[in-house]
Amino acid sequence: MFHIVINRCENVKMQGVKVFADGESPNTDGIHVQYSSDVTILNSRIATGDDCISITQGTSNVWVEDILCGPGHGISVGSLGKTLEEEGVENVTVTSVILSSTTNGVRIKTWGRPSSAFARNIRFQHVVMSDVQNPIIIDQNYCPHNENCPGQDSGVEVSNITYEDIRGTSATRVALKFDCSTATPCTGIQLKNVNLTFKDKPAETLCVNANGTAEGQIQPSNCLGL
């Protein structure tokens, strides 16, 4: 499963961590954080077959900085909302990171089923993407193997999410994807100076039930509702 787990901890600092696993090795998250607060992860190199860093339920006040990630599934908040009664994630900053040839870049992932969980006050800034399949993604319809969740709406509230100074290349045409819940649309998304391209051409966006604002240069074009 995970290489390193921070579980039910307070005031944790990890620095200079190196994790290496084959890109095809399943469930090999580099650093997994849950039910913890005041966690700092600095200056680390992570290559795995799953998330480089995953931040999940019951976690608050996390600072992630100077991370090189790849291969892997990127840096993820979630998955959240697997159960009906679940704690959320809040006050997370991910800054000055490089993602290279990963499946996802910066991701928020929630199960497509009712839940009391939330993801709020999260900031992704100063991020460089290199050949990343889903550079910016919110997926609120996570339902592996289509078991126990098809046709349901995620109850996880996703709000106040900021993407600032995100640049680089997408390995797919859709570089920015906000696939949010019909029951609990994403609110307060802020895009600030985003520049992502696909094969040296303009990339595309997909927004479903996603509301927010944009300022500065935005490429691909902003599709957020107000």
Side-chain angles (χ1 to χ4, degrees):
M1 290 293 287
F2 313 110
H3 285 83
I4 299 170
V5 177
I6 300 171
N7 179 41
R8 302 188 187 279
C9 299
E10 295 181 4
N11 301 317
V12 176
K13 181 179 180 181
M14 305 189 71
Q15 185 168 358
V17 175
K18 295 181 180 179
V19 176
F20 297 100
D22 187 272
E24 299 300 319
S25 55
N27 298 321
T28 51
D29 296 58
I31 301 174
H32 179 79
V33 187
Q34 62 184 22
Y35 300 111
S36 297
S37 62
D38 300 304
V39 176
T40 301
I41 303 170
L42 305 173
N43 187 28
S44 296
R45 169 73 171 95
I46 303 172
T48 74
D50 210 302
D51 293 327
C52 290
I53 298 173
S54 51
I55 302 166
T56 62
Q57 62 264 31
T59 298
S60 62
N61 303 328
V62 178
W63 187 277
V64 176
E65 183 175 3
D66 192 17
I67 307 296
L68 178 58
C69 168
H73 292 181
I75 296 176
S76 295
V77 173
S79 61
L80 297 172
K82 185 176 182 179
T83 60
L84 181 61
E85 298 295 329
E86 184 176 297
E87 297 178 51
V89 171
E90 61 185 338
N91 303 332
V92 174
T93 297
V94 176
T95 184
S96 301
V97 301
I98 298 174
L99 297 117
S100 179
S101 299
T102 51
T103 305
N104 305 288
V106 289
R107 173 172 62 161
I108 297 174
K109 178 176 67 171
T110 78
W111 285 72
R113 58 173 65 169
S115 179
S116 61
F118 56 81
R120 63 193 180 207
N121 303 330
I122 297 169
R123 178 180 294 271
F124 301 104
Q125 63 185 17
H126 313 314
V127 179
V128 176
M129 310 279 184
S130 177
D131 201 34
V132 173
Q133 293 183 34
N134 301 293
I136 295 175
I137 180 169
I138 297 177
D139 178 11
Q140 288 208 264
N141 292 291
Y142 180 63
C143 187
H145 312 299
N146 289 320
E147 295 178 356
N148 302 319
C149 43
Q152 300 185 58
D153 290 323
S154 175
V156 178
E157 294 186 2
V158 177
S159 61
N160 298 333
I161 314 297
T162 300
Y163 302 88
E164 181 176 8
D165 183 28
I166 313 289
R167 62 191 188 278
T169 57
S170 174
T172 60
R173 188 173 298 279
V174 178
L176 189 156
K177 181 178 181 180
F178 297 136
D179 187 8
C180 299
S181 170
T182 301
T184 52
C186 299
T187 61
I189 296 175
Q190 295 184 340
L191 299 175
K192 300 180 180 180
N193 296 317
V194 174
N195 187 357
L196 296 167
T197 60
F198 169 64
K199 295 182 178 179
D200 297 324
K201 299 177 181 178
E204 296 180 0
T205 59
L206 173 65
C207 293
V208 179
N209 303 315
N211 302 297
T213 60
E215 62 181 77
Q217 180 188 22
I218 304 296
Q219 182 176 307
S221 59
N222 171 39
C223 63
L224 292 168
L226 297 176

